[in-house]
Amino acid sequence: MAAPSPTDQPRRKFLGLLSLPERRFVADALRAETVGGVLLLTAAIAALIWANVPALADSYESVRSFHIGPASLGLDLSLQHWAADGLLAIFFFVAGIELKRELVAGDLRDARAAALPVIAAVCGMAVPALVYVLTNVLGNGSTDGWAVPTATDIAFALAVLAVLGTSLPSALRAFLLTLAVVDDLFAIMIIAVFFTSDINFLALGGAVAGLVLFWFLLRVNVRGWYVYIPLALVIWGLMYNSGVHSTIAGVAMGLMLRCHRVEGERQSPGEHIEHLVRPVSAGLAVPFFALFSAGVSLSYQSIGQVFTRPETLGVVLGLVVGKTVGIFGGTWLAARFTKAELNDDLAWPDVFAVASLAGIGFTVSLLIGELAFADDPVLTDEVKAAVLIGSLIAAVIAGILLKMRNRKYRALTEDEDRDEDLDGIPDIYEQDKPDYHLRMAKIYEAKAAEHLRKAEAAAGRATEAAGGSSADGGRPA
């Protein structure tokens, strides 16, 4: 028999079953993000109510414009700026840890496996930017906001799933998480390169020196929050005063943490710190940013302008159309050219639905909107309104598409979670283990014996009942 040709080799599966450790990590990470997403959604709604109720609107502007902090250190900032420049540094710190973990222990460590989600994420940022630029070139608008519709908000997307009660198989959730991680990486690069003001080289040199010290302390295994938290605050303050956006400090420190496990470790230091800090990021930092950034005035006139002004229309089209087309098109083309086959349990409409869900761009989109139009407060608020409206449209479309397949998703999720032998490992991961099948054989034998016993008992009762009826029927009146 002839040897099989290369074309006879089985194709690599896209969106296939995750490894058990990766599945558990994704589940833990997304559980925290889902809770944070619900808080984020609540904060955004609260901000909109606070800013649009006439009796409260003035107080909203007064509160978020209230300044606090040491002016001598260049940190006399409004609460809105503290949220955007300070609290979001925590969010980007967690993003840095996630990226590091993906690169050394997650899906991105394997170039072949990483190629498809990375290509999808890059296309999912490039196409929205292109849609925005084309809309503004044709409409004679400003192209400064090209980066606004490029970001995906994983927490908000998961909050939408939680509100809709939609299940997603772990492979789709991991794909969405990987998209968001790569998305955050490029958003960080965009902020660092395109939204850096005049450089204060003395402050920047101090921040770099602080980062080097941070790295050195990690390498010599110095431990203690009382060392790292004060150092991190100093690095952040220097980075803020340098003119480079202060969130870059958070990313840099996150990337320095060790995220691979050594022998005897249940968690790497990076995973442990991420587990501690993620609730602070998802439950405090991001919701407070939303509270002070999402409060824009929404009148019939302002909503109408979202769809007529090129800058705001470009944001909406970028999020709703550009994200979906970019991610889905990039995924399909990458799968086509890498000869990766889609998981048999899923279909391309499932990828399209997740791509449309990625059009929810909230936290980073609002931040980039503030940076892109910092000199025009009116346009800044209009762009924020466009982000909110575009994200809402994307959420509705994705919700409808995902609900149509929810029964299938629920069945797949139940299959992934089933553990009939109660050993703590889902059965789907033990199909190639003889011990598992021997355990299941004993379980089914015990169940069969129990059913035989019940069948014999039921037959005995039926015989007694039939005998009693015959005796009663032959008795004289």
Side-chain angles (χ1 to χ4, degrees), residues 335-413:
R336 177 84 179 257
F337 287 106
T338 60
K339 298 182 178 180
E341 285 187 343
L342 188 63
N343 181 356
D344 294 336
D345 294 323
L346 298 172
W348 283 107
D350 299 316
V351 180
F352 187 87
V354 171
S356 65
L357 186 65
I360 300 175
F362 189 79
T363 305
V364 179
S365 290
L366 291 178
L367 176 62
I368 293 177
E370 291 180 356
L371 297 174
F373 300 105
D375 297 331
D376 190 341
V378 174
L379 183 54
T380 297
D381 280 351
E382 291 177 351
V383 167
K384 287 181 179 180
V387 170
L388 295 173
I389 292 172
S391 297
L392 177 61
I393 294 172
V396 170
I397 293 173
I400 293 172
L401 295 175
L402 292 170
K403 269 295 185 182
M404 293 170 62
R405 293 274 289 172
N406 195 41
R407 182 178 297 179
K408 177 68 173 178
Y409 295 154
R410 187 178 292 114
L412 291 174
T413 303

Side-chain angles (χ1 to χ4, degrees), residues 434-449:
D435 290 346
Y436 162 76
H437 292 288
L438 291 174
R439 287 196 303 273
M440 291 305 300
K442 291 180 180 178
I443 291 171
Y444 284 127
E445 285 172 3
K447 288 182 178 180

Side-chain angles (χ1 to χ4, degrees), residues 3 65 72 142 144 173 184 237 243 256 267 364 433:
S65 300
S72 59
S142 170
D144 292 344
R173 286 178 174 264
D184 287 341
M256 290 180 183
Q267 282 185 319
V364 179
K433 297 180 179 178

Side-chain angles (χ1 to χ4, degrees), residues 110-369:
D110 180 0
R112 288 186 63 201
L116 204 148
V118 169
I119 291 172
V122 170
C123 292
M125 298 188 78
V127 175
L130 180 61
V131 168
Y132 178 92
V133 169
L134 287 176
T135 303
N136 282 270
V137 168
L138 295 175
N140 296 318
S142 170
T143 57
D144 292 344
W146 63 270
V148 175
T150 60
T152 293
D153 196 309
I154 182 69
F156 218 130
L158 293 172
V160 169
L161 294 178
V163 170
L164 293 174
T166 303
S167 302
L168 268 190
S170 59
L172 284 177
R173 286 178 174 264
F175 180 59
L176 184 61
L177 179 61
T178 304
L179 285 175
V181 169
V182 178
D183 207 291
D184 287 341
L185 168 64
F186 284 99
I188 292 160
M189 294 171 62
I190 288 170
I191 291 171
V193 174
F194 295 99
F195 297 107
T196 294
S197 56
D198 295 334
I199 301 292
N200 180 333
F201 287 100
L202 182 61
L204 181 60
V208 172
L211 289 170
V212 171
L213 178 59
F214 189 90
W215 175 86
F216 176 76
L217 293 174
L218 288 172
R219 289 301 170 273
V220 297
N221 291 321
V222 172
R223 299 188 179 185
W225 62 268
Y226 47 83
V227 174
Y228 290 103
I229 290 181
L231 179 58
L233 291 174
V234 171
I235 294 170
W236 174 86
L238 289 168
M239 189 70 75
Y240 177 83
N241 282 284
S242 73
V244 177
H245 200 271
S246 54
T247 54
I248 304 302
V251 175
M253 287 183 278
L255 287 170
M256 290 180 183
L257 295 175
R258 178 169 63 81
C259 292
H260 64 276
R261 301 177 188 180
V262 298
E263 188 175 354
E265 281 187 338
R266 296 185 61 185
Q267 282 185 319
S268 66
E271 290 172 319
H272 176 66
I273 293 173
E274 180 187 15
H275 180 74
L276 295 176
V277 179
R278 185 186 289 277
V280 179
S281 170
L284 178 67
V286 176
F288 263 95
F289 170 76
L291 183 64
F292 291 123
S293 292
V296 295
S297 178
L298 293 177
S299 62
Y300 290 114
Q301 182 179 2
S302 63
I303 292 174
Q305 286 179 339
V306 166
F307 296 98
T308 55
R309 185 163 183 166
E311 293 89 351
T312 50
L313 180 61
V315 170
V316 173
L317 292 177
L319 290 171
V320 177
V321 179
K323 271 289 183 183
T324 306
V325 172
I327 292 174
F328 179 79
T331 305
W332 187 85
L333 288 173
R336 177 84 179 257
F337 287 106
T338 60
K339 298 182 178 180
E341 285 187 343
L342 188 63
N343 181 356
D344 294 336
D345 294 323
L346 298 172
W348 283 107
D350 299 316
V351 180
F352 187 87
V354 171
S356 65
L357 186 65
I360 300 175
F362 189 79
T363 305
V364 179
S365 290
L366 291 178
L367 176 62
I368 293 177

Side-chain angles (χ1 to χ4, degrees), residues 1-9:
M1 183 180 296
S5 67
T7 56
D8 296 329
Q9 300 297 324

